[in-house]
Amino acid sequence: MIEPGMQIGHQSLAALLQRQGYSRCDTVVDAGEFAVRDRCSTSSLGARRRLRSISSADELESLRLFDPATQRSTGSVEQHLLLPASEALLDEETIKRFRGHYRELFGANATGDPLYRR
């Protein structure tokens, strides 16, 4: 749950979004994307509304709704449940775990498999 007053700046929020599977982009249009300028904009997966957080270097100051077509604010919210953008989060640890199990199941020759390499 994120809400105004939290001790999290936009760079820390961006890192959290990346760990949650969001894709960084220049302009947020689709669900699962986020952008960072002097603020952080995001679109939660499955959410019908887009959210923009306004923050200083270390504090979340406000949460505003915005229209992805115009990028203009349309209202504000007091809190937001930030859900992962994907059911499968592919960070370094999960990739390492996948590859280890893959080698156990299919042997050392499996390292050439395109699925393993991706």
Side-chain angles (χ1 to χ4, degrees):
M1 186 74 64
I2 58 173
E3 55 192 357
M6 284 184 69
Q7 297 299 305
I8 186 169
H10 59 271
Q11 293 302 328
S12 297
L13 182 56
L16 173 63
L17 289 166
Q18 284 188 302
R19 287 192 307 273
Q20 293 291 340
Y22 287 78
S23 300
R24 191 170 185 159
C25 61
D26 292 330
T27 303
V28 172
V29 177
D30 293 321
E33 296 179 337
F34 79 97
V36 177
R37 289 181 202 82
D38 58 336
R39 60 191 180 272
C40 187
S41 301
T42 185
S43 178
S44 295
L45 194 66
R48 293 168 53 152
R49 57 189 188 179
R50 307 306 193 261
L51 187 70
R52 176 171 292 137
S53 65
I54 309 297
S55 59
S56 63
D58 60 357
E59 183 178 332
L60 185 61
E61 296 175 3
S62 69
L63 296 172
R64 298 181 186 164
L65 303 174
F66 73 96
D67 180 345
T70 64
Q71 297 293 309
R72 292 181 181 229
S73 293
T74 60
S76 63
V77 294
E78 292 301 314
Q79 59 184 4
H80 177 73
L81 178 59
L82 184 62
L83 298 173
S86 173
E87 290 181 20
L89 300 177
L90 297 178
D91 59 13
E92 287 184 39
E93 182 59 34
T94 57
I95 292 170
K96 185 178 178 180
R97 189 171 40 245
F98 167 80
R99 286 183 171 167
H101 291 302
Y102 200 86
R103 284 191 307 271
E104 286 176 18
L105 287 171
F106 300 107
N109 292 336
T111 59
D113 187 315
L115 178 62
Y116 176 89
R117 293 164 69 201
R118 272 195 209 119

